[in-house]
Amino acid sequence: MKTALATVSISGTLREKMEAASKAGFQGVEIFENDLTQYSGSPSDVSKMARDLGLEIIALQPFRDMEGNPRDIQKKRIEMLKRKMQVAHELGTNRLLMCCNVQPYASPDRDLCAADLRDLAEIAASEELILGYEALAWGRHIADYDDAWDLVQRADHPSLGINLDTFHMFSRGNTLDCLRDEIPVDKIALVQVADAPIMPRTDYLTYSRHSRCFPGQGDMPVVEFVQVLKDKGFDDYLSHEIFNDEFRSSDPVAKAIDGMRSLIWLDDQTAPKHGIVKDDIDATASITDMEFIEFAVEGSSGDELIKTLSQLGFAETHKHVSKNVSLMRQGDINLILNKEPQSQAHEYHEKHGVSVCALGFATENVKHTLDVAEHYKAERFENQAGPGELNIPAIRGVADSLVYLVNRGTGYRFFDVDFKSINGVQGEQGVGLERIDHIGQTVANVDFLSTGFFYKSLFGFDIEPSQDLPDIHGLVVSRTATNKDKTVRIPINMTNARSASAERFLTQTRGSGVQQVAFACKDIFVAAKNIDQEKVLTIPNNYYRDIGARFDLPEKLLMSMKAHNILYDRNDQGEFFHFYTEQIHGVFFEVVQRVAGYDNYGEANAFVRLAAQAEQGEN
């Protein structure tokens, strides 16, 4: 299946958009008329640019309100379209896209509308062009694609086909029955795929202009749509037409790569599968655990971080055999401190300061996981390994960070080869912290959807529905990416509020990154008693009065929680105890205890934590 991108989908000038599409690997582009109108060169110049970039211009669009007009207006529309046909010739495309009429004066007479479309198609035929007719969700009389198909059938002209746009179809709750049972492949003029969160609304225009996203990033059944197309033998272009405020204010190359990743994922999710993921798509990249977290530090800049980790029971147990890198351990938690001057960590520190620069994922098959990541357009990072050292493969992750892929099935751990233990240091016991429970990544609003889809497409993570966390300065939106057995959990957070905690982090660290690291333990009260309370986040007394009343907690338990600033949540599955450190370089740590089957993150306490952190930041 061939891939295309409508130029309206991403930011930049027309040249920048086309260069981004080419770099991402698209084969074609739809030229949005506004992009052409504001371009200083001629349509022929655009045609040459496309050829030089290896792109086919698959359509010029959109042309609006082309049927059912009063006769004087219809005559003007016909003359306008004739002129645009000449532009199409200069662009080197043979397809024009027409949208249904949305004007209050549009006629509901379908025979009249069909006759208008037939007349336009006859003109197109004389110019050797194809017209695609599309139902807009807010169309005056034609808003559903089965009604658009009815008009195309009535017009009955070989130069007229239907344009299928998944957003317009699914935003109105259309089924796939008409496509499956009635529309032949040779009458499909163009297919545009877009996703969106499902939101009940009647203002379809606003919904369309601001909420679309790439397939796999929303809730619409785009996979089922493509499967029906494949079952019918469709092998023409799948094209993105995305209207999204964040997309149009983002780096065009990054967003174009997101779009290409989405189309590859769509192809892989639908049979017949081929290429790298012809086997079960859910098993393509089996991530089994979080192997390590790597911090970029330099000189004495990380002293406060190291002090806090020491207070949490971590000890520096290993030194790298050839680099200025050390390892702090506790239980099965591995925290790498990288001070190496000639390294990615150094570059990351230069840009972001003391912060998490890389994650290490454990996988059952490094080569296969890496192949899948590259299949989905992930950028490989070439690491510098010394003689006899592990060359751990890595890809570019969120923002400037890296994701390392570590094979756990070798009988040894990464630190057994590349690190030497420090004599006399035993860091495994600490205060009882056992493993990494979850990490929180805070991203800019323009990266929120793409970050979740990064984990979904490359590693097969599940993306849980978004939820709002009330910050005293605005809302923080959060959704969590998890591997299949939830041994890796990554809440992804963003905000549009200038002073909210997520935005303060982005400002302080100059970009998206890991803001939170949560450690799991069996007994949080034992851990709390053995932790220096100096850096623990202080929780207001009113909180304990509230949960005491709501959960009817024993007074002794409540007093112990209050003494150690431990928060609490309970649901039908179990209980959750947790406390936080203060923020260090924008990052904070959490200690959690899950009781029985509790599977959430203490979201009900987020407003208390966010307020306490805001107060810390003001002091």
Side-chain angles (χ1 to χ4, degrees):
M1 200 168 290
K2 295 182 286 187
T3 59
L5 178 73
T7 55
V8 72
S9 305
I10 56 177
S11 67
T13 64
L14 181 58
R15 174 176 289 279
E16 289 169 338
K17 294 180 180 196
M18 293 176 67
E19 288 175 346
S22 175
K23 187 171 183 178
F26 284 96
Q27 296 158 286
V29 289
E30 296 178 53
I31 299 297
F32 193 66
E33 195 176 28
N34 287 6
D35 288 320
L36 179 61
T37 301
Q38 64 191 20
Y39 180 65
S40 59
S42 68
S44 296
D45 293 334
V46 177
S47 178
K48 181 180 184 304
M49 186 198 317
R51 291 194 303 272
D52 292 344
L53 292 170
L55 296 170
E56 178 183 356
I57 298 177
I58 69 166
L60 174 62
Q61 61 103 342
F63 301 102
R64 310 176 190 278
D65 309 325
M66 299 302 299
E67 85 290 352
N69 295 302
R71 295 301 86 184
D72 58 334
I73 295 177
Q74 187 65 20
K75 182 178 180 180
K76 293 177 181 178
R77 303 303 290 169
I78 291 172
E79 292 304 313
M80 181 276 296
L81 191 61
K82 286 180 179 179
R83 295 188 180 189
K84 295 299 183 181
M85 287 178 178
Q86 298 311 307
V87 175
H89 287 314
E90 294 176 47
L91 285 172
T93 186
N94 69 339
R95 284 188 259 206
L96 298 176
L97 171 60
M98 304 185 303
C99 300
C100 68
N101 205 321
V102 300
Q103 299 302 325
Y105 51 70
S107 172
D109 185 336
R110 291 202 178 184
D111 289 334
L112 173 65
C113 292
D116 286 345
L117 292 180
R118 188 183 309 113
D119 290 343
L120 294 172
E122 187 64 26
I123 298 169
S126 68
E127 297 287 343
E128 298 183 338
L129 296 173
I130 297 294
L131 300 181
Y133 180 69
E134 175 179 327
L136 300 176
W138 55 93
R140 184 72 174 178
H141 302 294
I142 302 295
D144 296 304
Y145 84 104
D146 54 348
D147 290 327
W149 171 238
D150 177 60
L151 277 190
V152 170
Q153 282 185 295
R154 288 174 186 243
D156 190 23
H157 197 287
S159 293
L160 176 69
I162 187 170
N163 183 69
L164 299 173
D165 184 310
T166 57
F167 174 83
H168 295 299
M169 293 169 64
F170 296 132
S171 63
R172 292 184 58 85
N174 293 170
T175 71
L176 294 170
D177 294 343
C178 180
L179 173 60
R180 183 182 292 108
D181 300 331
E182 299 181 31
I183 302 177
V185 168
D186 62 1
K187 293 301 290 184
I188 299 175
L190 187 63
V191 173
Q192 295 171 320
V193 287
D195 208 339
I198 295 296
M199 294 185 287
R201 56 175 63 228
T202 55
D203 184 2
Y204 292 109
L205 180 58
T206 299
Y207 184 22
S208 172
R209 288 292 179 262
H210 303 286
S211 299
R212 297 195 197 195
C213 55
F214 291 127
Q217 296 179 346
D219 305 316
M220 291 179 168
V222 186
V223 170
E224 290 83 349
F225 169 82
V226 174
Q227 185 64 67
V228 171
L229 285 179
K230 283 190 176 184
D231 291 343
K232 296 174 75 71
F234 180 83
D235 63 355
D236 200 356
Y237 279 100
L238 282 187
S239 184
H240 284 310
E241 186 189 46
I242 312 295
F243 295 88
N244 184 295
D245 299 337
E246 281 75 29
F247 285 20
R248 287 175 289 191
S249 59
S250 305
D251 175 76
V253 174
K255 276 295 172 279
I257 291 172
D258 278 350
M260 177 54 69
R261 179 176 293 148
S262 170
L263 290 181
I264 295 170
W265 177 83
L266 261 184
D267 193 29
D268 290 337
Q269 293 291 312
T270 49
K273 300 182 178 109
H274 58 81
I276 190 72
V277 285
K278 61 183 177 182
D279 300 322
D280 183 4
I281 189 69
D282 291 330
T284 55
S286 180
I287 301 299
T288 59
D289 211 342
M290 186 77 72
E291 181 72 358
F292 62 78
I293 297 174
E294 180 176 344
F295 291 86
V297 294
E298 195 159 301
S300 60
S301 65
D303 288 352
E304 187 180 7
L305 170 69
I306 294 170
K307 179 182 178 182
T308 298
L309 292 174
S310 299
Q311 290 172 336
L312 288 170
F314 288 91
E316 197 171 10
T317 61
H318 295 72
K319 293 280 190 181
H320 196 278
V321 294
S322 66
K323 298 181 175 67
N324 190 4
V325 179
S326 60
L327 176 66
M328 300 186 81
R329 299 199 73 228
Q330 182 176 181
D332 198 26
I333 305 166
N334 301 304
L335 306 178
I336 295 174
L337 305 176
N338 194 330
K339 300 180 180 180
E340 180 66 23
Q342 302 298 322
S343 68
Q344 177 267 348
H346 170 73
E347 296 175 2
Y348 198 91
H349 184 274
E350 288 287 295
K351 186 172 182 179
H352 303 283
V354 175
S355 48
V356 173
C357 62
L359 303 175
F361 286 167
T363 177
E364 296 173 350
N365 188 326
V366 168
K367 183 181 184 305
H368 186 57
T369 303
L370 186 63
D371 287 345
V372 171
E374 292 181 333
H375 172 68
Y376 284 117
K377 297 292 182 179
E379 182 183 351
R380 182 81 176 264
F381 174 78
E382 297 299 331
N383 204 11
Q384 297 178 345
E389 297 174 10
L390 289 175
N391 187 8
I392 303 176
I395 59 172
R396 297 285 181 182
V398 176
D400 306 310
S401 67
L402 299 180
V403 174
Y404 286 95
L405 301 172
V406 182
N407 195 337
R408 275 273 186 96
T410 57
Y412 57 84
R413 303 292 289 276
F414 73 94
F415 51 81
D416 293 328
V417 178
D418 287 355
F419 290 78
K420 55 184 178 181
S421 59
I422 299 173
N423 291 334
V425 177
Q426 298 295 323
E428 285 77 6
Q429 296 304 315
V431 299
L433 308 188
E434 297 181 325
R435 61 182 308 278
I436 296 169
D437 185 86
H438 61 274
I439 65 166
Q441 287 190 308
T442 296
V443 300
N445 56 4
V446 296
D447 298 325
F448 186 62
L449 292 173
S450 59
T451 299
F453 193 68
F454 172 83
Y455 292 115
K456 178 178 182 176
S457 58
L458 271 67
F459 305 119
F461 282 17
D462 295 321
I463 308 298
E464 298 175 358
S466 298
Q467 57 182 313
D468 292 337
L469 306 178
D471 188 296
I472 62 173
H473 296 295
L475 286 178
V476 175
V477 181
S478 181
R479 67 190 313 182
T480 302
T482 65
N483 67 342
K484 297 305 177 184
D485 59 3
K486 295 194 174 182
T487 53
V488 178
R489 303 168 183 250
I490 306 178
I492 304 162
N493 307 308
M494 76 91 177
T495 187
N496 289 313
R498 291 184 180 180
S499 300
S501 61
E503 187 61 32
R504 295 198 303 272
F505 170 81
L506 294 174
T507 300
Q508 180 171 351
T509 61
R510 299 187 296 281
S512 303
V514 173
Q515 185 179 11
Q516 173 189 15
V517 180
F519 306 115
C521 67
K522 285 183 179 178
D523 191 329
I524 198 167
F525 294 96
V526 171
K529 289 176 183 176
N530 289 295
I531 287 174
D532 188 329
Q533 295 289 302
E534 177 191 1
K535 291 293 184 180
V536 173
L537 187 68
T538 301
I539 303 301
N541 181 58
N542 286 332
Y543 169 78
Y544 296 99
R545 296 186 67 177
D546 174 61
I547 62 169
R550 285 194 293 117
F551 295 111
D552 192 24
L553 297 173
E555 187 65 23
K556 183 177 180 181
L557 174 62
L558 200 61
M559 294 304 294
S560 183
M561 291 167 56
K562 180 179 177 182
H564 298 292
N565 293 286
I566 294 173
L567 297 94
Y568 177 82
D569 189 30
R570 184 170 70 207
N571 58 23
D572 292 340
Q573 287 72 48
E575 297 175 289
F576 188 64
F577 297 87
H578 57 137
F579 67 83
Y580 300 92
T581 69
E582 294 182 347
Q583 296 180 87
I584 304 98
H585 301 287
V587 178
F588 62 94
F589 300 97
E590 181 183 10
V591 176
V592 310
Q593 179 188 349
R594 298 179 182 272
V595 179
Y598 185 95
D599 202 35
N600 292 351
Y601 303 87
E603 299 94 329
N605 297 321
F607 77 103
V608 177
R609 185 258 297 173
L610 290 165
Q613 288 176 330
E615 184 174 341
Q616 175 206 348
E618 293 168 0
N619 292 336

